[in-house]
Short mmCIF file of all heavy atoms in Angstrom, two decimals:
data_model
loop_
_atom_site.label_atom_id
_atom_site.label_comp_id
_atom_site.label_asym_id
_atom_site.label_seq_id
_atom_site.Cartn_x
_atom_site.Cartn_y
_atom_site.Cartn_z
N MET A 257 -32.53 55.54 10.45
CA MET A 257 -31.51 54.71 11.09
C MET A 257 -31.61 53.23 10.73
O MET A 257 -30.58 52.57 10.52
CB MET A 257 -31.59 54.90 12.62
CG MET A 257 -30.38 54.32 13.36
SD MET A 257 -28.78 54.92 12.73
CE MET A 257 -28.91 56.67 13.10
N PRO A 258 -32.82 52.61 10.66
CA PRO A 258 -32.87 51.20 10.25
C PRO A 258 -32.24 50.95 8.88
O PRO A 258 -31.49 49.99 8.70
CB PRO A 258 -34.37 50.90 10.23
CG PRO A 258 -34.96 51.85 11.20
CD PRO A 258 -34.16 53.12 11.05
N ALA A 259 -32.53 51.83 7.92
CA ALA A 259 -31.94 51.68 6.58
C ALA A 259 -30.44 51.93 6.61
O ALA A 259 -29.67 51.24 5.93
CB ALA A 259 -32.62 52.63 5.60
N ILE A 260 -30.02 52.92 7.40
CA ILE A 260 -28.59 53.24 7.50
C ILE A 260 -27.81 52.06 8.08
O ILE A 260 -26.75 51.68 7.57
CB ILE A 260 -28.38 54.51 8.35
CG1 ILE A 260 -28.94 55.74 7.63
CG2 ILE A 260 -26.90 54.72 8.66
CD1 ILE A 260 -28.96 56.99 8.46
N MET A 261 -28.34 51.48 9.15
CA MET A 261 -27.65 50.36 9.79
C MET A 261 -27.61 49.14 8.89
O MET A 261 -26.61 48.42 8.82
CB MET A 261 -28.33 50.02 11.12
CG MET A 261 -28.24 51.11 12.17
SD MET A 261 -26.53 51.62 12.51
CE MET A 261 -25.84 50.09 13.15
N PHE A 262 -28.70 48.89 8.17
CA PHE A 262 -28.72 47.74 7.26
C PHE A 262 -27.75 47.95 6.10
O PHE A 262 -27.05 47.03 5.69
CB PHE A 262 -30.13 47.51 6.74
CG PHE A 262 -30.27 46.23 5.96
CD1 PHE A 262 -30.50 45.03 6.61
CD2 PHE A 262 -30.18 46.23 4.59
CE1 PHE A 262 -30.62 43.84 5.89
CE2 PHE A 262 -30.30 45.06 3.86
CZ PHE A 262 -30.53 43.86 4.52
N ALA A 263 -27.72 49.17 5.57
CA ALA A 263 -26.79 49.47 4.47
C ALA A 263 -25.35 49.35 4.94
O ALA A 263 -24.48 48.86 4.22
CB ALA A 263 -27.06 50.88 3.94
N PHE A 264 -25.09 49.78 6.19
CA PHE A 264 -23.73 49.69 6.73
C PHE A 264 -23.29 48.25 6.88
O PHE A 264 -22.15 47.89 6.56
CB PHE A 264 -23.68 50.40 8.08
CG PHE A 264 -22.34 50.29 8.77
CD1 PHE A 264 -21.30 51.11 8.41
CD2 PHE A 264 -22.13 49.36 9.78
CE1 PHE A 264 -20.06 51.02 9.03
CE2 PHE A 264 -20.91 49.25 10.40
CZ PHE A 264 -19.86 50.08 10.03
N SER A 265 -24.18 47.40 7.35
CA SER A 265 -23.80 46.00 7.61
C SER A 265 -23.75 45.16 6.35
O SER A 265 -22.97 44.22 6.25
CB SER A 265 -24.78 45.36 8.60
OG SER A 265 -26.10 45.40 8.07
N SER A 266 -24.59 45.51 5.36
CA SER A 266 -24.66 44.71 4.13
C SER A 266 -23.83 45.28 2.99
O SER A 266 -23.48 44.55 2.06
CB SER A 266 -26.11 44.58 3.66
OG SER A 266 -26.62 45.84 3.27
N ALA A 267 -23.52 46.58 3.05
CA ALA A 267 -22.79 47.27 1.98
C ALA A 267 -23.49 47.10 0.64
O ALA A 267 -22.85 46.93 -0.40
CB ALA A 267 -21.34 46.78 1.90
N SER A 268 -24.81 47.14 0.65
CA SER A 268 -25.58 46.96 -0.58
C SER A 268 -26.68 48.00 -0.66
O SER A 268 -27.63 47.97 0.14
CB SER A 268 -26.17 45.55 -0.63
OG SER A 268 -27.06 45.43 -1.73
N SER A 269 -26.58 48.92 -1.62
CA SER A 269 -27.64 49.91 -1.82
C SER A 269 -28.92 49.24 -2.29
O SER A 269 -30.02 49.56 -1.83
CB SER A 269 -27.19 50.95 -2.84
OG SER A 269 -26.00 51.59 -2.43
N VAL A 270 -28.77 48.31 -3.23
CA VAL A 270 -29.94 47.61 -3.77
C VAL A 270 -30.59 46.75 -2.69
O VAL A 270 -31.82 46.70 -2.56
CB VAL A 270 -29.55 46.75 -4.98
CG1 VAL A 270 -30.74 45.95 -5.48
CG2 VAL A 270 -29.00 47.63 -6.11
N GLY A 271 -29.77 46.09 -1.89
CA GLY A 271 -30.32 45.23 -0.84
C GLY A 271 -31.06 46.00 0.23
O GLY A 271 -31.93 45.44 0.92
N THR A 272 -30.77 47.28 0.37
CA THR A 272 -31.40 48.12 1.40
C THR A 272 -32.71 48.74 0.92
O THR A 272 -33.42 49.38 1.69
CB THR A 272 -30.43 49.23 1.83
OG1 THR A 272 -29.14 48.67 2.05
CG2 THR A 272 -30.87 49.89 3.14
N LEU A 273 -33.03 48.55 -0.36
CA LEU A 273 -34.22 49.20 -0.93
C LEU A 273 -35.52 48.94 -0.16
O LEU A 273 -36.27 49.90 0.10
CB LEU A 273 -34.39 48.76 -2.39
CG LEU A 273 -33.70 49.60 -3.45
CD1 LEU A 273 -33.89 49.00 -4.83
CD2 LEU A 273 -34.23 51.03 -3.45
N PRO A 274 -35.84 47.70 0.22
CA PRO A 274 -37.10 47.50 0.93
C PRO A 274 -37.19 48.30 2.24
O PRO A 274 -38.22 48.92 2.53
CB PRO A 274 -37.11 45.98 1.21
CG PRO A 274 -36.21 45.41 0.18
CD PRO A 274 -35.15 46.43 -0.03
N ILE A 275 -36.12 48.28 3.04
CA ILE A 275 -36.11 49.03 4.30
C ILE A 275 -36.11 50.53 4.02
O ILE A 275 -36.76 51.32 4.72
CB ILE A 275 -34.90 48.63 5.15
CG1 ILE A 275 -34.93 47.14 5.44
CG2 ILE A 275 -34.85 49.42 6.45
CD1 ILE A 275 -33.75 46.64 6.22
N ASN A 276 -35.39 50.93 2.98
CA ASN A 276 -35.32 52.35 2.62
C ASN A 276 -36.70 52.89 2.26
O ASN A 276 -37.09 53.98 2.67
CB ASN A 276 -34.36 52.51 1.44
CG ASN A 276 -33.72 53.88 1.41
OD1 ASN A 276 -34.05 54.75 2.21
ND2 ASN A 276 -32.81 54.09 0.48
N LEU A 277 -37.44 52.12 1.47
CA LEU A 277 -38.80 52.52 1.09
C LEU A 277 -39.69 52.68 2.33
O LEU A 277 -40.45 53.64 2.44
CB LEU A 277 -39.40 51.49 0.14
CG LEU A 277 -38.91 51.53 -1.31
CD1 LEU A 277 -39.33 50.25 -2.04
CD2 LEU A 277 -39.47 52.74 -2.04
N SER A 278 -39.57 51.74 3.25
CA SER A 278 -40.39 51.79 4.47
C SER A 278 -40.06 53.02 5.31
O SER A 278 -40.95 53.71 5.80
CB SER A 278 -40.18 50.51 5.28
OG SER A 278 -40.87 50.57 6.51
N CYS A 279 -38.77 53.31 5.47
CA CYS A 279 -38.35 54.46 6.29
C CYS A 279 -38.80 55.78 5.69
O CYS A 279 -39.27 56.68 6.40
CB CYS A 279 -36.83 54.45 6.47
SG CYS A 279 -36.21 53.10 7.49
N THR A 280 -38.65 55.92 4.37
CA THR A 280 -39.03 57.18 3.74
C THR A 280 -40.54 57.42 3.80
O THR A 280 -40.99 58.56 3.95
CB THR A 280 -38.56 57.21 2.27
OG1 THR A 280 -39.01 56.03 1.60
CG2 THR A 280 -37.05 57.29 2.19
#
Side-chain angles (χ1 to χ4, degrees):
M257 192 53 63
I260 293 172
M261 295 305 297
F262 188 84
F264 176 80
S265 60
S266 66
S268 172
S269 302
V270 176
T272 314
L273 271 176
I275 301 178
N276 207 355
L277 283 166
S278 175
C279 291
T280 52

